[in-house]
Amino acid sequence: MMNREAEYAALEKEQRRTKKMMRAGVISAFCGGGGLAIWLLQRIFSGLTGSENVDNAIDSISLMLMGYTAVIFVTFIVRRAWVLKADAIMKYAVMPGIVLKLLMDFNQ
């Protein structure tokens, strides 16, 4: 009886992990699509903002979103066990650092 409960607990843990990995993949896909759309719109309507700083910031944000998607995709292909770690590092360390750098450069 005890062994069956342990198996159910392990199965639930694996299902939660798989659900988190799929959620990270879906968020990554939306970020990549949004980044690509922003980048293409920036190219189509290049003179719309009228500011070089704003154009550079939009380009950097779109490239950051596409880079996040690329990192998650490559991590999923190479090492599936590292997807959640790569997702957390990108979301909570790399991307906020890039946004802070953009804000600091934009205010100068």
Side-chain angles (χ1 to χ4, degrees):
M1 190 59 120
M2 189 67 121
N3 192 16
R4 183 179 291 181
E5 291 175 3
E7 289 176 8
Y8 283 141
L11 183 61
E12 285 183 24
K13 184 176 181 181
E14 186 63 30
Q15 287 175 344
R16 282 193 308 267
R17 181 172 167 75
T18 302
K19 187 176 178 180
K20 288 179 184 177
M21 287 174 60
M22 289 301 131
R23 185 180 307 132
V26 168
I27 290 171
S28 168
F30 279 119
C31 284
L36 183 63
I38 292 169
W39 187 77
L40 287 174
L41 287 173
Q42 180 67 22
R43 295 295 173 256
I44 292 170
F45 302 111
S46 60
L48 193 62
T49 60
S51 172
E52 187 70 28
N53 287 339
V54 174
D55 289 343
N56 289 337
I58 291 172
D59 285 342
S60 298
I61 288 172
S62 64
L63 291 175
M64 175 187 66
L65 291 173
M66 289 188 286
Y68 168 69
T69 301
V71 167
I72 297 299
F73 180 72
V74 168
T75 306
F76 188 78
I77 297 297
V78 175
R79 292 275 181 164
R80 285 191 183 170
W82 294 354
V83 169
L84 295 177
K85 291 176 186 172
D87 182 52
I89 290 171
M90 288 296 291
K91 275 187 196 173
Y92 302 117
V94 175
M95 291 172 63
I98 291 171
V99 170
L100 284 175
K101 169 108 174 61
L102 287 173
L103 288 173
M104 289 173 52
D105 289 346
F106 188 71
N107 286 331
Q108 289 180 356

